[in-house]
Amino acid sequence: MSDDTLGEDAAVEQSSPATGRSLPARYVAGLIGLALLAVLPVPSLLGVESVTLFGTVTITFGLSSYQLLQVAGAFYFAMFAMSWDVVSGYTGQISFGHGFFFALGGYTSALLNLTYGVAPLAAIPAGVAVAALGGVVIGVPALRLRGPYLSLVTLVAPQVLLSVFILFSGTFGGELGLSSPDNLLGVGLGNPVLVYYIAFALFVAILAVLLAVTRSSAGAVFTAIREDEDAVAAAGLNPAKFKTFAFVLSAAVGGLAGAVLVHTPVGNPQPSQLLATQVSIEVIIAAILGGMGTIVGAAIGGLIVYLLPEYLNTVEYVVPVLDAPVSEIDFLLFAVIALVLLFVMPGGVLRAALRIARDRLSDRRGEGVAADGGRRARTPVEQVRERWRSAVERTLGRGPDRERRTTDGRRSDGRRADDRDANRGHENGGDTDEH
Amino acid sequence: MSTEPDAAGATGEGTVGYGPDDGVLVIENLTKRFGGLTAVDDLSFAVREREILGFIGPNGAGKSTTFNCVTGRYPPTSGTVWYRGEDVTGESAHEMVNSGLARTFQEFRPLHDRTVVENVAIGLVPDRLFSLAGLRGETGQRAASICRRVGLGDRLELTPDELPHAGLLRLELGRALATDPDMLLVDEPFAGLSGPEVESVSGLLRELRDEGLTLAVVDHNMRGLLSLIDRAVVINFGAKIAEGAPEEIRQDPEVQRAYLGGDL
Ligand SMILES: Nc1ncnc2c1ncn2[C@@H]1O[C@H](COP(=O)(O)OP(=O)(O)OP(=O)(O)O)[C@@H](O)[C@H]1O
Ligand SMILES: [Mg+2]
């Protein structure tokens, strides 16, 4: 219990008896974070939003109604990011068009409500079902495609859907979208605290489901697929089945978030909110920034990516050289901050935070070396790049058997092994063979 | 398996037909072409229950390709593969594993993103989307015991990148064994191993056979295999040139020609 390293893998945790262990610090941190989010609206609920001490210093806590709605919107965006992460972050099948699923969910639910008067509570599951179906439609053909080719399909799918929306503007409202459907349970602008809590509850529910899936053996298979599909098949596991499952699960979750979102005052069934390329891209930025392949990282990244520009927008400070107020160049600033973060922590915010915490802890215990032995595992981004590289090489005619990873001298192809074989044979007095 | 045709023995002429019951694994007239290159050329042989078969041939002879066609990594261009009497030609890789035929990769294919014990544990995961067998608890225990079995018991928490060459081979064996196979195809286990390592891995393979496994072991030549195998099949340019007991093979003129009088 005392010498387990924070944030190390499941195997470490399992090798020490679970009895009487305290929760690892990262879980505690996560729970504290959730608890803070849960009580965020309380001051506004109680009507105490600020206190004035000694008649001079005013401390503001709690959020304004407007800010509550903003955070609620951020929750939905974080759900989008998590849904992307479970398929792209985990299995490495990068989707550039997840808006396709958000829109399928959102538009289905909104149309059922607007056209047929179906109550949101009944329309939302239908939206989820249609989005899941969309997951099958994209996910199954995707099995035959690798790397960039799959991504191309995901890039095109939302464009096709948008064309349909524009072509049948009468039904789908074209580029402007549909009018607002009914609010879920009638919770509207008048009740920002409830809007907040509906979003928060769904956020927690999706977080819990995706954490459960990715921490189960299915999650281990997902990441194994990202790493090496042939090895997964050699372990007796059907990669196609798990990849399809990841796609459909992701589509359903994204569709759910989209469907609920349109029935809140923070979202509408409009391409700009659900389907636009910018939505799909920002979701990817969020997940990578927070920590691709962790779910929690995608959630954190989603909150940051949604709220940071909103915050920058309110800053009145004028940047000296550019002579522009921060609020006017918020997107530029956001992009710069995102780039810097990605450069400094390629594995994402979450991994960086865990590593810092771990190093701190091992420092405190007087361990000289960092707990991870100074080795850095490849980040999911690097793994995906690797997949893309081999997919392209395959297409350019370099056989799958002949290309090997080159990021590490240890990974080599048959020929290299043979060379080494010959060398070693020398060293050991030709004990193996020479050829 | 009782009717192994003798004519297909030392003469190496694979024209005598094999039947589905001539062995655990029966390969008949297997051909694999990559574009204009014929990597496996009308190859036929059978692996008998509980034997250790040496599958031998010079560099580029088509040994790995044969394995790849048998284990569903590549579809054969033509020919038939029977496993336990069933036609399994063109079955996918995971289906072959689930029917009991596991393989190792010559070039080693560990999952670099996880520890040794987790690499083995992936072989224990059932091929179901929802399973209660988590990677912790019982699965972890079983994975650890398989690691001990293949000689990685003291390196459970290392990553594959921290393992030496021989360790990676053991990891390949561990992951294959985790799928609980009846038969194991081992692709060139001895390349790059030192003498004592060859001995130790041979010992492990022999133990596995004694426990009921059937094995086919690939190598360039018979040096490392001599004391291990019961029988050998030798191929060159994708076609079988000899088959029989190790001593017979060494005397075979065609085999000697294939190795240009070199070391066999
Ligand atoms: N995916 C592929 N695409 C094209 N040619 C291939 C492919 N895989 C193998 N080959 C070719 O098929 C032939 C047989 O290769 P294979 O790897 O089966 O030989 P091997 O007997 O295993 O040799 P080694 O002892 O080097 O492992 C070689 O000429 C090889 O270049
Ligand atoms: Mg080979």
Side-chain angles (χ1 to χ4, degrees):
Chain A
M1 157 150 116
S2 56
D3 58 4
D4 89 275
T5 30
L6 173 75
E8 275 304 339
D9 304 288
V12 177
E13 280 159 29
Q14 135 230 287
S15 60
S16 51
T19 47
R21 283 177 83 233
S22 55
L23 223 48
R26 65 204 157 110
Y27 294 154
V28 176
L31 288 175
I32 291 175
L34 282 181
L36 283 178
L37 288 172
V39 301
L40 210 52
V42 168
S44 4
L45 207 56
L46 299 177
V48 276
E49 294 187 0
S50 61
V51 285
T52 307
L53 298 176
F54 316 117
T56 48
V57 189
T58 305
I59 299 179
T60 318
F61 38 26
L63 301 174
S64 68
S65 298
Y66 177 68
Q67 286 169 324
L68 280 179
L69 294 175
Q70 277 185 331
V71 181
F75 281 138
Y76 289 100
F77 188 74
M79 296 179 222
F80 289 164
M82 286 191 278
S83 79
W84 181 88
D85 199 33
V86 74
V87 65
S88 298
Y90 273 83
T91 71
Q93 310 177 88
I94 301 297
S95 160
F96 279 117
H98 243 51
F100 181 71
F101 304 119
F102 315 150
L104 282 181
Y107 272 75
T108 303
S109 189
L111 277 172
L112 282 176
N113 178 254
L114 290 170
T115 334
Y116 302 102
V118 180
L121 264 186
I124 289 169
V128 174
V130 171
L133 203 65
V136 177
V137 169
I138 302 288
V140 169
L143 295 175
R144 307 211 150 270
L145 304 168
R146 289 197 184 206
Y149 308 100
L150 161 67
S151 297
L152 204 61
V153 170
T154 63
L155 200 57
V156 170
Q159 308 303 325
V160 172
L161 192 61
L162 185 61
S163 310
V164 171
F165 286 0
I166 292 171
L167 202 61
F168 302 99
S169 291
T171 311
F172 298 104
E175 288 192 74
L176 293 178
L178 299 164
S179 56
S180 293
D182 292 342
N183 284 325
L184 180 62
L185 304 170
V187 176
L189 275 179
N191 204 336
V193 173
L194 262 188
V195 171
Y196 180 96
Y197 276 121
I198 288 175
F200 180 63
L202 194 63
F203 171 82
V204 173
I206 286 178
L207 180 65
V209 167
L210 294 185
L211 281 179
V213 171
T214 53
R215 269 59 176 174
S216 77
S217 58
V221 180
F222 288 172
T223 49
I225 288 172
R226 185 178 72 198
E227 178 72 25
D228 188 340
E229 249 176 72
D230 286 332
V232 170
L237 299 159
N238 183 355
K241 182 162 74 180
F242 285 88
K243 281 162 81 174
T244 311
F245 172 60
F247 238 109
V248 173
L249 174 68
S250 168
V253 167
L256 172 64
V260 177
L261 175 64
V262 299
H263 295 291
T264 69
V266 294
N268 280 315
Q270 293 168 356
S272 63
Q273 292 190 19
L274 298 172
L275 190 55
T277 307
Q278 192 174 353
V279 177
S280 298
I281 297 301
E282 282 184 357
V283 161
I284 300 174
I285 295 176
I288 294 180
L289 206 60
M292 185 175 163
T294 59
I295 301 294
V296 175
I300 296 172
L303 294 176
I304 295 175
V305 165
Y306 190 92
L307 292 174
L308 187 60
E310 303 265 355
Y311 168 74
L312 291 176
N313 211 0
T314 64
V315 175
E316 277 154 27
Y317 176 75
V318 176
V319 183
V321 185
L322 297 174
D323 198 27
V326 165
S327 56
E328 271 179 26
I329 53 166
D330 57 338
F331 190 77
L332 176 69
L333 274 179
F334 164 74
V336 170
I337 293 174
L339 277 176
V340 169
L341 282 179
L342 276 180
F343 188 74
V344 181
M345 356 185 196
V349 174
L350 183 69
R351 283 191 180 83
L354 287 176
R355 177 163 297 127
I356 290 168
R358 188 159 66 213
D359 291 352
R360 281 272 166 82
L361 251 120
S362 54
D363 276 355
R364 215 188 300 157
R365 288 174 189 149
E367 295 164 19
V369 200
D372 59 1
R375 270 174 192 279
R376 194 175 63 85
R378 290 190 309 155
T379 66
V381 180
E382 287 166 327
Q383 284 175 313
V384 167
R385 199 168 57 208
E386 186 66 39
R387 279 172 68 98
W388 281 39
R389 199 177 59 78
S390 32
V392 171
E393 280 174 359
R394 220 183 317 250
T395 318
L396 297 181
R398 291 180 51 184
D401 232 7
R402 295 296 139 201
E403 37 93 351
R404 282 297 148 240
R405 307 213 158 85
T406 49
T407 48
D408 184 329
R410 239 175 285 262
R411 300 163 202 154
S412 55
D413 64 15
R415 306 274 164 236
R416 296 263 303 280
D418 292 341
D419 296 346
R420 186 165 45 212
D421 168 6
N423 295 338
R424 292 237 190 145
H426 245 16
E427 287 159 22
N428 310 315
D431 218 314
T432 41
D433 60 5
E434 45 273 296
H435 32 262
Chain B
M1 68 200 94
S2 50
T3 55
E4 168 79 13
D6 283 336
T11 62
E13 295 304 316
T15 45
V16 176
Y18 283 86
D21 297 318
D22 286 336
V24 193
L25 178 72
V26 181
I27 290 160
E28 192 178 42
N29 305 120
L30 185 78
T31 298
K32 177 66 184 177
R33 289 194 197 93
F34 294 107
L37 180 112
T38 305
V40 181
D41 189 4
D42 200 25
L43 179 66
S44 304
F45 66 93
V47 188
R48 300 168 191 162
E49 181 99 43
R50 295 191 68 172
E51 77 172 338
I52 303 184
L53 176 81
F55 190 50
I56 299 166
N59 243 231
K63 306 177 296 290
S64 298
T65 305
T66 304
F67 270 24
N68 285 334
C69 288
V70 168
T71 57
R73 188 147 170 239
Y74 300 148
T77 307
S78 66
T80 314
V81 180
W82 284 289
Y83 184 66
R84 299 208 163 275
E86 269 180 51
D87 186 343
V88 294
T89 318
E91 294 241 324
S92 54
H94 69 275
E95 284 170 333
M96 289 307 298
V97 174
N98 289 330
S99 55
L101 179 68
R103 58 111 24 113
T104 66
F105 290 102
Q106 174 180 3
E107 71 275 13
F108 302 150
R109 302 286 286 265
L111 301 167
H112 298 277
D113 64 347
R114 60 198 75 195
T115 61
V116 163
V117 68
E118 286 170 322
N119 261 278
V120 171
I122 204 80
L124 293 168
V125 172
D127 188 21
R128 277 179 271 123
L129 294 177
F130 305 99
S131 91
L132 295 176
L135 275 183
R136 292 148 197 253
E138 199 201 329
T139 310
Q141 308 281 320
R142 280 172 61 202
S145 85
I146 293 169
C147 289
R148 281 192 289 277
R149 185 72 222 273
V150 297
L152 291 171
D154 52 343
R155 286 169 282 183
L156 296 180
E157 301 305 334
L158 294 190
T159 64
D161 293 348
E162 294 167 314
L163 290 180
H165 188 76
L168 286 169
L169 169 69
R170 292 174 186 280
L171 183 54
E172 282 287 322
L173 289 170
R175 186 174 61 202
L177 289 178
T179 66
D180 193 20
D182 306 320
M183 181 173 173
L184 195 54
L185 301 179
V186 192
D187 200 349
E188 249 173 89
F190 301 128
L193 296 196
S194 71
E197 284 166 347
V198 170
E199 269 315 302
S200 145
V201 171
S202 293
L204 173 62
L205 296 180
R206 230 174 276 127
E207 274 173 42
L208 292 173
R209 190 265 295 278
D210 293 343
E211 287 165 23
L213 228 60
T214 305
L215 290 124
V217 182
V218 165
D219 211 330
H220 286 127
N221 54 36
M222 281 196 317
R223 271 207 158 193
L225 290 184
L226 202 52
S227 63
L228 176 65
I229 60 177
D230 306 310
R231 221 158 53 86
V233 168
V234 185
I235 66 168
N236 196 15
F237 298 114
K240 183 161 78 179
I241 56 170
E243 176 174 3
E247 315 79 55
E248 291 167 36
I249 295 292
R250 283 166 72 84
Q251 309 309 324
D252 189 288
E254 189 146 5
V255 173
Q256 304 211 333
R257 222 173 306 131
Y259 282 89
L260 293 169
D263 195 34
L264 181 65

